[in-house]
């Protein structure tokens, strides 16, 4: 698990995988409703998750706010909308693969950043700053990945200018 909150696998059959049902709200739905401090905490957790995932040699392939769940923590204070008492759970590893390639990790971050820009334009800067800061804490090669992310963003700009 690499220290990343994910649904527990209950049973693997020949044509199906049964997993734990995790209650919560997709991060894409929750972000616009969180107070500034809780937004920062939730996004910091997203950065930690991405950093741990990449440090473990895995590219998610679909790292979006739709595949991150804000789930209440157990206990009397565990309510949605309180990031301090909630955890962020990573979902949907259908496109994931073992990869330590800087480009693959940068593509994960590119997709996540594009989701923030498209779905949460007023929150994108604050959210991204928290994600990037936490990502750097958890992944020793973060600066290389972030440099590659800038290269990917430049390539994309050139494609749209012609």
């Amino acid at each position: 698990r690499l220290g990343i909150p994910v649904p527990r696998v209950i049973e693997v059959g020949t044509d199906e995988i049964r997993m734990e049902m995790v209650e919560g709200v997709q991060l894409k739905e929750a972000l616009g409703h969180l107070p500034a401090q809780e937004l920062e905490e939730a996004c910091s957790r997203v950065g930690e998750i991405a950093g741990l995932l990449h440090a473990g040699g895995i590219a998610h392939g679909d790292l979006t706010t739709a595949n991150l769940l804000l789930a209440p923590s157990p206990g009397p204070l565990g309510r949605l909308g309180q990031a301090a008492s909630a955890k962020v759970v990573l979902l949907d590893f259908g496109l994931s693969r073992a990869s330590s390639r800087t480009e693959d990790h940068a593509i994960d971050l590119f997709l996540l950043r594009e989701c923030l820009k498209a779905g949460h334009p007023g929150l994108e800067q604050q959210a991204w700053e928290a994600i990037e800061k936490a990502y750097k804490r958890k992944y020793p090669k973060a600066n290389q990945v972030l440099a590659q992310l800038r290269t990917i963003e430049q390539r994309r700009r050139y494609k749209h200018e012609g």
Side-chain angles (χ1 to χ4, degrees):
R1 283 192 184 205
L2 304 173
I4 299 169
V6 297
R8 201 171 20 97
V9 175
I10 297 169
E11 181 182 348
V12 178
T14 55
D15 59 354
E16 71 178 8
I17 299 173
R18 289 185 52 233
M19 301 178 81
E20 164 188 31
M21 175 64 169
V22 179
E23 298 291 335
V25 176
Q26 287 178 319
L27 196 58
K28 76 176 189 173
E29 301 298 330
L31 279 181
H33 303 286
L34 296 174
Q37 180 64 36
E38 293 175 16
L39 170 72
E40 189 170 327
E41 290 170 11
C43 289
S44 182
R45 288 193 179 121
V46 171
E48 290 172 356
I49 287 168
L52 289 168
L53 191 69
H54 293 163
I58 298 172
H60 187 273
D62 196 17
L63 190 58
T64 66
T65 55
N67 287 329
L68 292 154
L69 193 70
L70 191 60
S73 294
L77 298 177
R79 298 192 315 264
L80 292 177
Q82 291 189 334
S85 64
K87 66 179 179 177
V88 177
V89 179
L90 183 60
L91 306 173
D92 193 358
F93 285 83
L95 297 175
S96 299
R97 63 184 174 144
S99 175
S100 294
R101 291 183 57 228
T102 300
E103 176 84 4
D104 292 340
H105 296 172
I107 289 170
D108 271 354
L109 295 184
F110 176 78
L111 183 56
L112 179 59
R113 191 165 189 180
E114 289 296 302
C115 283
L116 291 171
K117 286 178 184 177
H120 310 282
L123 304 174
E124 184 259 337
Q125 184 173 348
Q126 179 187 0
W128 184 254
E129 286 173 6
I131 289 168
E132 187 175 315
K133 184 176 178 182
Y135 184 75
K136 287 178 178 179
R137 281 196 314 267
K138 293 296 180 180
Y139 189 29
K141 296 180 180 179
N143 287 333
Q144 293 169 314
V145 173
L146 292 166
Q148 186 64 30
L149 171 61
R150 287 188 290 278
T151 300
I152 291 168
E153 289 172 333
Q154 285 300 117
R155 287 192 311 235
R156 184 163 186 248
R157 277 192 204 109
Y158 294 134
K159 280 187 177 181
H160 290 289
E161 287 181 4

